[in-house]
Amino acid sequence: MQTSNTIVVLLATFLFFSCKTEKKEIVEVEKFQFAAPEEVGMIADSLAKIDALVMGYVEAKKYPGAVTLIAKDGKIIYESEVGWSDSTRTEPYRKDHLFRMASMTKPLVSVAAMQLVEAGKLKLDDPVGKYIPSFNETEVLTDFNPVDTTWTSTTTTNIPTVKQLLTHTAGVPYGFMNPPVNGAILTKHGIPDLSTHLPITIEETASKLGDLPLMHEPGAKWMYGLNTDVLGRVVEVASGMKLDAYIRENITEPIGAEMFDFYFKDSLTQKLTKVFLTGQDGTVVQAPDNMGPFYIPNYPTEGAKTYLSGGSGMTGTARDYFLFCQAMLNDGKLGKAQLLKPETAQAMHKPQLDTITFPWGTGSFGHGFHVAKGETSRPDGTYSWGGAFSTTFWIDPTNEIVFIQLRQVLQSPYNQEIDGKLEELVYSAFSE
């Protein structure tokens, strides 16, 4: 009888682990699908030219390298790692490297806000002051004294709304967009442009921003600024959750993005790519350990880890960002996860500026995305954004393409140049 029981136990154990293994394999297949470029109407040899393009910039010391991912029809058709993460060229770039996404955080926070709109916890026309009291009475800058950083201002006619935060028309500034004025005001009040290692919170800085002057009347023009950082605090108040916890529970975990978050354990510093700066001679150098009063390069794994910047705070891998992009391309759905209703997802990448002119080219701006129109390579309706560390992505609904390239040079002067060349290579790779 004992021998019989032993056989039953062994058989049950075998079946249990066999089922577990089979289920895991199914999950992996569903999470990432792959295809040869020719299977989806593209030419592999043409896409391979991307490697040579990036390597040319590496050899010219304009970038340390890049990780690139291209998907079509929901399938990854091209991935490459070119160059090195470190200045001594001993650590090659890898697909599992963590990259600081910076402003590529904005689309996720914008999706979070639109989820709350769908849930009835937020309205696009809500005044920001409903969630951040300091925005109940706002003023617009009229004059600035650079000698003592004082200013004069007048009361705004309108109060900023949630929609204006989404579309960057609220008037909240970025310091780096006008350092002598915006930068001086924000620095004086301890407000960083990017994520920081310091022990401060977005609750504190969002409240301070409401007490500082806006740069224009709300709704009067488009101006890039800390709007999405303020929006992140609105998400916290409306949801009753910290921003990182909300995005984890409602966006990244449902789509299976495992290495995509605001902060990581100290032990993952080894997976974090190094930051580079462009020197006066036009070549890159690795950033120092201290980059000023607000910043250290390793902020995603070191420091206080308390500042949840909705405009710049997330770090992750190319594959994990692809999952988010594919969900957007699928009208808010990926696998069993439905992040948004189709009509909401589609509205996010439709022009939302009405009569306001978008100052950066011929396109427009939606809810968290640039929307292409009249560009040389990208079809109209392609939506995109990039980050301060030279990361970039675009989503092309016409051709069902997702393109991601992750680099780590802070505000590289070569971004526009290489991005244009990348577009040319991708759209010349279609088979006849």
Side-chain angles (χ1 to χ4, degrees):
M1 177 66 73
Q2 183 156 357
T3 301
S4 176
N5 287 340
T6 301
I7 291 172
V8 169
V9 170
L10 289 171
L11 181 60
T13 303
F14 172 78
L15 290 172
F16 173 74
F17 283 105
S18 296
C19 291
K20 278 190 75 178
T21 302
E22 182 179 359
K23 184 176 181 182
K24 183 177 180 181
E25 289 175 353
I26 292 173
V27 169
E28 289 297 320
V29 169
E30 290 179 349
K31 186 173 180 179
F32 297 111
Q33 297 183 46
F34 300 87
E38 284 75 12
E39 293 177 52
V40 293
M42 300 191 79
I43 303 169
D45 288 346
S46 296
L47 292 178
K49 294 176 182 178
I50 292 173
D51 281 27
L53 173 68
V54 176
M55 184 52 74
Y57 279 88
V58 173
E59 291 174 347
K61 297 183 179 180
K62 294 180 177 179
Y63 291 103
V67 169
T68 309
L69 184 153
I70 304 173
K72 189 176 188 318
D73 301 338
K75 299 174 182 178
I76 296 173
I77 62 169
Y78 173 90
E79 284 185 291
S80 72
E81 313 113 311
V82 176
W84 295 267
S85 172
D86 61 324
S87 59
T88 58
R89 296 191 171 187
T90 59
E91 184 181 359
Y93 270 139
R94 303 187 310 271
K95 295 183 183 71
D96 67 343
H97 261 131
L98 294 170
F99 286 80
R100 300 156 193 79
M101 299 294 184
S103 287
M104 281 170 53
T105 305
K106 289 177 170 70
L108 283 92
V109 175
S110 299
V111 166
M114 296 309 296
Q115 287 178 332
L116 294 170
V117 170
E118 287 186 345
K121 296 181 179 181
L122 196 61
K123 293 180 181 178
L124 291 177
D125 293 333
D126 278 347
V128 177
K130 180 178 178 180
Y131 307 94
I132 306 172
S134 61
F135 277 88
N136 277 321
E137 296 181 4
T138 53
E139 298 190 346
V140 62
L141 184 72
T142 56
D143 192 36
F144 177 75
N145 185 347
V147 176
D148 59 6
T149 66
T150 58
W151 67 82
T152 57
S153 57
T154 59
T155 303
T156 58
T157 304
N158 304 302
I159 300 298
T161 66
V162 170
K163 183 179 178 69
Q164 289 166 353
L165 293 177
L166 280 160
T167 57
H168 287 277
T169 58
V172 183
Y174 257 138
F176 77 92
M177 295 298 292
N178 186 355
V181 179
N182 304 350
I185 293 174
L186 295 181
T187 300
K188 181 178 181 178
H189 291 84
I191 300 174
D193 280 339
L194 296 171
S195 195
T196 180
H197 64 291
L198 298 176
I200 59 177
T201 67
I202 194 62
E203 178 180 4
E204 295 166 356
T205 56
S207 180
K208 289 180 182 179
L209 284 167
D211 289 326
L212 296 177
L214 303 173
M215 294 299 112
H216 61 76
E217 180 71 26
K221 60 188 291 188
W222 191 93
M223 188 190 72
Y224 199 38
L226 289 163
N227 299 281
T228 318
D229 286 76
V230 177
L231 183 67
R233 177 55 186 162
V234 171
V235 167
E236 289 190 331
V237 176
S239 67
M241 299 174 67
K242 289 294 185 182
L243 185 60
D244 59 345
Y246 181 90
I247 289 180
R248 210 177 293 130
E249 183 175 315
N250 295 280
I251 300 178
T252 54
E253 287 184 355
I255 62 175
E258 298 176 6
M259 297 298 289
F260 190 17
D261 213 326
F262 283 82
Y263 296 106
F264 294 89
K265 294 183 294 186
D266 293 20
S267 60
L268 289 177
T269 297
Q270 60 185 348
K271 279 196 170 186
L272 183 66
T273 50
K274 308 296 189 293
V275 173
F276 286 76
L277 307 173
T278 303
Q280 292 184 347
D281 65 352
T283 64
V284 292
V285 294
Q286 192 168 314
D289 292 339
N290 189 318
M291 298 170 61
F294 293 125
Y295 312 114
I296 61 172
N298 290 347
Y299 67 82
T301 58
E302 300 174 4
K305 303 180 185 177
T306 58
Y307 194 64
L308 304 176
S309 168
S312 68
M314 297 189 74
T315 294
T317 67
R319 282 195 180 181
D320 282 323
Y321 204 86
F322 158 68
L323 293 172
F324 171 72
C325 291
Q326 190 62 46
M328 291 303 301
L329 185 56
N330 294 346
D331 292 337
K333 182 177 176 63
L334 188 69
K336 295 180 180 179
Q338 186 76 54
L339 302 184
L340 293 168
K341 296 176 183 177
E343 58 269 27
T344 306
Q346 292 167 15
M348 289 191 69
H349 55 87
K350 301 296 182 187
Q352 297 288 342
L353 296 184
D354 298 324
T355 59
I356 296 174
T357 300
F358 181 68
W360 293 359
T362 59
S364 186
F365 204 81
H367 289 153
F369 298 93
H370 169 261
V371 185
K373 182 178 180 181
E375 296 190 7
T376 304
S377 300
R378 299 185 195 181
D380 289 356
T382 298
Y383 50 109
S384 62
W385 206 238
F389 295 99
S390 303
T391 57
T392 188
F393 80 95
W394 78 75
I395 302 171
D396 173 0
T398 302
N399 296 292
E400 294 193 44
I401 286 177
V402 171
F403 177 93
I404 299 167
Q405 186 168 95
L406 305 181
R407 309 175 289 253
Q408 290 289 268
V409 179
L410 182 61
Q411 296 178 337
S412 170
Y414 306 110
N415 286 341
Q416 188 172 356
E417 176 184 291
I418 192 173
D419 289 349
K421 292 179 179 179
L422 289 166
E423 290 177 23
E424 291 176 7
L425 287 177
V426 170
Y427 287 105
S428 65
F430 283 96
S431 56
E432 296 295 335

